[in-house]
Amino acid sequence: MSVVATDLEWGVRRRVVLSGVSLSVAPGETLGLIGPNGSGKSSLLRLLAGLKRPASGRVQIHGQDISRVPRRMLARQVAFVQQSAATDTNVSVRDVVRLGRTPHRSALGGWTNADEDIVASALERVNMTGHANQPWQTLSGGERQRVHIARALAQAPRIMFLDEPTNHLDIHHQIEILRMVRALDLTSIIALHDMNLATMFCDRIAVMKDGRLVMLGTPREVVTAQLLRDVFRVEAEVSDDPRPHIRFTGAPGA
């Protein structure tokens, strides 16, 4: 499914958080959202997923304005994976993933074999089948992110939004999570803070600064020493082999 945003504006009280943001994401594409802290990445991701309503502008998914799509129907098409989610409830991994079936079940509908098959498939796709009965609290950070993705997959979405899914993970688990997301047959939009990871796993990169979209293109088009200087205020060397790789050398003027 495609995602198209047109002239999005959003703010909190009198503070403008996003202004004039327009972009499109093709079916099956992986788009990375990058930018400094406070640039509007997470806010844009939530607008695109329908978790927030823009002050003006619109978001279309598969040609439909999402403001006119019932919430339950939208949740059957779109899944959102947060940076992290904690719970003190004593639940198993399987129970967490089962929550992903909520948009597909009626208030009076019971749990079905089809639901259970979808949950089992989601756990298998993230390589967590062997942990299905394990308590949630005992999982590592990387394992929890896998379970978050499995819960999203249990929704059977066509589009997945991920808000810094590699945050606080070691580099091994960062690469593991993004490689897994990349292999899914879905349209994916991922907010990331690591530029090198974005160049490795994203088809295109959208660069945010001060609530505006300042660049959108392939990693080769976007990642330049000039952009890193202007947006992130760092000096870096960019090699191209075959995707850009960044070696940070310092701050401007250092």
Side-chain angles (χ1 to χ4, degrees):
M1 282 187 165
S2 62
V3 181
V4 178
T6 305
D7 203 22
L8 293 181
E9 305 271 347
W10 186 77
V12 179
R13 297 184 177 90
R14 295 185 179 182
R15 183 172 69 90
V16 176
V17 177
L18 292 172
S19 179
V21 177
S22 297
L23 57 80
S24 63
V25 186
E29 182 178 19
T30 299
L31 177 73
L33 297 179
I34 65 169
N37 289 339
S39 61
K41 301 188 301 295
S42 293
S43 296
L44 176 57
L45 203 66
R46 282 164 170 74
L47 288 174
L48 296 176
L51 300 179
K52 295 181 182 293
R53 288 185 177 271
S56 63
R58 66 177 181 174
V59 177
Q60 293 173 289
I61 289 179
H62 200 52
Q64 288 185 298
D65 188 329
I66 63 172
S67 66
R68 300 176 182 175
V69 178
R71 305 301 301 175
R72 179 176 288 268
M73 185 177 296
L74 186 63
R76 293 175 181 174
Q77 301 174 350
V78 168
F80 191 94
V81 178
Q82 302 180 66
Q83 291 186 32
S84 60
T87 177
D88 294 326
T89 307
N90 185 23
V91 295
S92 70
V93 167
R94 181 181 283 107
D95 289 335
V96 173
V97 178
R98 281 175 170 167
L99 293 173
R101 296 304 300 156
T102 302
H104 298 272
R105 301 175 62 214
S106 66
L108 301 178
W111 189 259
T112 67
N113 289 334
D115 289 321
E116 197 61 51
D117 288 345
I118 290 169
V119 168
S121 176
L123 284 165
E124 183 177 1
R125 290 176 74 181
V126 302
N127 197 28
M128 288 294 288
T129 300
H131 299 267
N133 296 317
Q134 187 172 336
W136 165 259
Q137 296 94 327
T138 65
L139 298 180
S140 68
E143 289 169 339
R144 289 189 180 196
Q145 283 300 78
R146 285 180 174 274
V147 175
H148 288 318
I149 293 171
R151 180 176 62 180
L153 289 173
Q155 289 179 230
R158 303 290 298 279
I159 303 169
M160 188 177 292
F161 298 90
L162 302 100
D163 189 6
E164 299 201 8
T166 60
N167 207 19
H168 307 306
L169 300 182
D170 59 45
I171 188 63
H172 170 78
H173 287 108
Q174 290 178 19
I175 292 173
E176 191 177 52
I177 291 292
L178 291 176
R179 182 176 288 135
M180 180 179 63
V181 171
R182 176 72 181 181
L184 299 174
D185 185 23
L186 296 171
T187 304
S188 301
I189 303 177
I190 313 174
L192 292 166
H193 65 273
D194 189 304
M195 179 77 83
N196 276 319
L197 289 176
T199 66
M200 288 172 64
F201 293 101
C202 298
D203 298 308
R204 289 190 303 152
I205 295 173
V207 184
M208 301 292 297
K209 181 182 179 183
D210 297 330
R212 293 183 176 274
L213 180 65
V214 296
M215 182 73 75
L216 175 62
T218 66
R220 186 172 295 181
E221 292 168 338
V222 167
V223 181
T224 65
Q226 186 65 51
L227 178 127
L228 294 169
R229 185 179 300 115
D230 293 344
V231 175
F232 294 92
R233 302 195 306 170
V234 294
E235 297 291 345
E237 296 175 355
V238 180
S239 59
D240 199 356
D241 53 355
R243 284 177 175 251
H245 179 77
I246 304 158
R247 186 174 73 86
F248 296 104
T249 58

